[in-house]
Amino acid sequence: MLKWIFRGLIIVFVSYIIYIVGYPFVVDVSSLKKKNPELTAMMKYRIKQWERDGKKIKIKKMWIPVNRVSPYLVKAVLIGEDDKFYSHSGFDIEGIKKAIEKDIKEKKLKYGGSTITQQLAKNLYLTPSKNPVRKIQEAIITWRLEKTLSKKRILELYLNVAEWGEGIFGAEAASRHYFGKSASELNAIEAARLAASLPNPIKYSPVGNSRFIEKRTNLIYFIMQKRGIIKEEYTEPEEKDSVPVLEEKQEEKELPSIQKDEPVQPQLK
């Protein structure tokens, strides 16, 4: 009897390992070259969550090509979420190291150091869970996305499936919901506010007056000015090198560091 139980446990364990490694290779990443996703895994997760909580919320989403998104929003999102997007292959090693150090210090899986590609992998195919299994699957899917799609397409997908509030997905839906205009018409400050809310869009509204949103918006806007993205007169701070630094409370997610002196990201082609 013990022998059969042992064999059964081995079969279960092997099946689980196959699932962990196999699932990321089964998802149809190649179809994303031309096909836009309908309902993502994150959207389905939220729908089940709303049903469980008895909430009557409908998903708002409208697809918009990346070349029609305001350049201000594209730059603001890159600055806020993944400033090294064009130079890495899906993983920000420095950001991951910092996240691991904080996880060890706080003795919990809390910080991710996720790039835009990693966030896209999670949004498309996985859940918000921070458990090690999900992170392994995310890493494999991230690698496949980077190998299969162009940076422009990855960014386009991300801007269209990112969560921007309860039931609000994508830049176009978010822009219309919060500012009453298309994402193509956003000005610099509006773009900075939308980007500022991405770390926790359920908790922080782009049009809210939270200290976190105000501070992060000002920093993103400052960097856009510094890099010449915003065509305005730029004035140096009174004190030398007194550039605001992103800080976050313990309950807020870890963000990739924003480097104020890095060159402007290359133009989308």
Side-chain angles (χ1 to χ4, degrees):
M1 180 63 71
L2 289 175
K3 183 179 180 180
W4 284 107
I5 292 175
F6 182 69
R7 285 183 178 179
L9 290 174
I10 290 178
I11 292 173
V12 171
F13 177 75
V14 171
S15 298
Y16 188 56
I17 295 298
I18 291 174
Y19 163 73
I20 293 173
V21 179
Y23 174 71
F25 286 101
V26 172
V27 295
D28 189 9
V29 171
S30 296
S31 66
L32 294 173
K33 289 181 179 180
K34 297 182 179 180
K35 184 179 179 181
N36 299 329
E38 291 297 330
L39 287 180
T40 65
M42 178 62 76
M43 292 175 191
K44 294 176 183 177
Y45 176 87
R46 291 301 187 205
I47 290 172
K48 290 181 180 179
Q49 189 178 54
W50 298 330
E51 290 176 349
R52 187 171 59 250
D53 296 340
K55 294 181 178 180
K56 295 181 179 180
I57 299 174
K58 292 184 178 180
I59 287 178
K60 297 177 183 177
K61 64 183 181 71
M62 298 177 68
W63 191 271
I64 184 171
V66 68
N67 57 11
R68 284 181 52 200
V69 177
S70 167
Y72 291 132
L73 182 59
V74 173
K75 298 297 184 181
V77 169
L78 288 171
I79 289 170
E81 292 297 292
D82 189 357
D83 214 14
K84 300 176 184 177
F85 178 70
Y86 286 103
S87 61
H88 64 60
S89 298
F91 304 95
D92 180 0
I93 304 302
E94 183 180 345
I96 291 173
K97 286 181 179 178
K98 290 180 179 179
I100 291 174
E101 289 173 0
K102 290 195 174 185
D103 283 340
I104 292 174
K105 184 177 180 180
E106 298 191 20
K107 298 180 180 179
K108 62 175 69 175
L109 291 172
K110 182 177 180 181
Y111 301 99
S114 297
T115 62
I116 280 176
T117 314
Q118 286 176 279
Q119 292 180 53
L120 178 61
K122 177 189 69 177
N123 289 340
L124 287 175
Y125 302 112
L126 304 169
T127 71
S129 170
K130 293 183 180 296
N131 68 69
V133 171
R134 204 274 289 167
K135 295 301 289 184
I136 292 171
Q137 292 178 326
E138 178 189 286
I140 296 172
I141 296 174
T142 296
W143 173 76
R144 291 191 63 207
L145 287 172
E146 287 280 342
K147 291 290 184 181
T148 307
L149 307 176
S150 67
K151 286 287 189 179
K152 178 180 178 181
R153 181 57 173 165
I154 290 172
L155 186 56
E156 180 174 66
L157 287 164
Y158 176 78
L159 288 171
N160 278 282
V161 303
E163 189 173 32
W164 252 298
E166 233 177 10
I168 303 167
F169 290 87
E172 184 68 8
S175 179
R176 290 177 182 274
H177 179 79
Y178 293 113
F179 300 110
K181 61 176 72 173
S182 171
S184 63
E185 302 171 324
L186 291 170
N187 61 36
I189 193 65
E190 291 166 342
R193 293 191 74 86
L194 279 176
S197 70
L198 279 170
N200 197 333
I202 300 299
K203 183 176 181 179
Y204 299 111
S205 167
V207 294
N209 56 1
S210 74
R211 183 173 177 273
F212 177 76
I213 289 294
E214 293 299 329
K215 187 174 183 180
R216 188 166 177 79
T217 295
N218 290 338
L219 177 55
I220 292 173
Y221 190 85
F222 174 87
I223 295 173
M224 290 170 75
Q225 285 183 311
K226 181 74 171 178
R227 293 180 177 177
I229 297 168
I230 301 171
K231 304 302 180 184
E232 295 178 355
E233 184 69 24
Y234 173 73
T235 305
E236 289 287 350
E238 293 182 4
E239 297 180 15
K240 186 177 180 181
D241 297 326
S242 60
V243 180
V245 178
L246 274 182
E247 295 178 357
E248 65 176 344
K249 299 175 184 177
Q250 288 188 353
E251 70 270 20
E252 291 159 356
K253 119 179 185 184
E254 173 65 357
L255 308 165
S257 60
I258 294 179
Q259 304 297 326
K260 65 183 178 66
D261 294 322
E262 286 192 12
V264 178
Q265 303 290 350
Q267 294 293 321
L268 293 175
K269 298 181 180 179

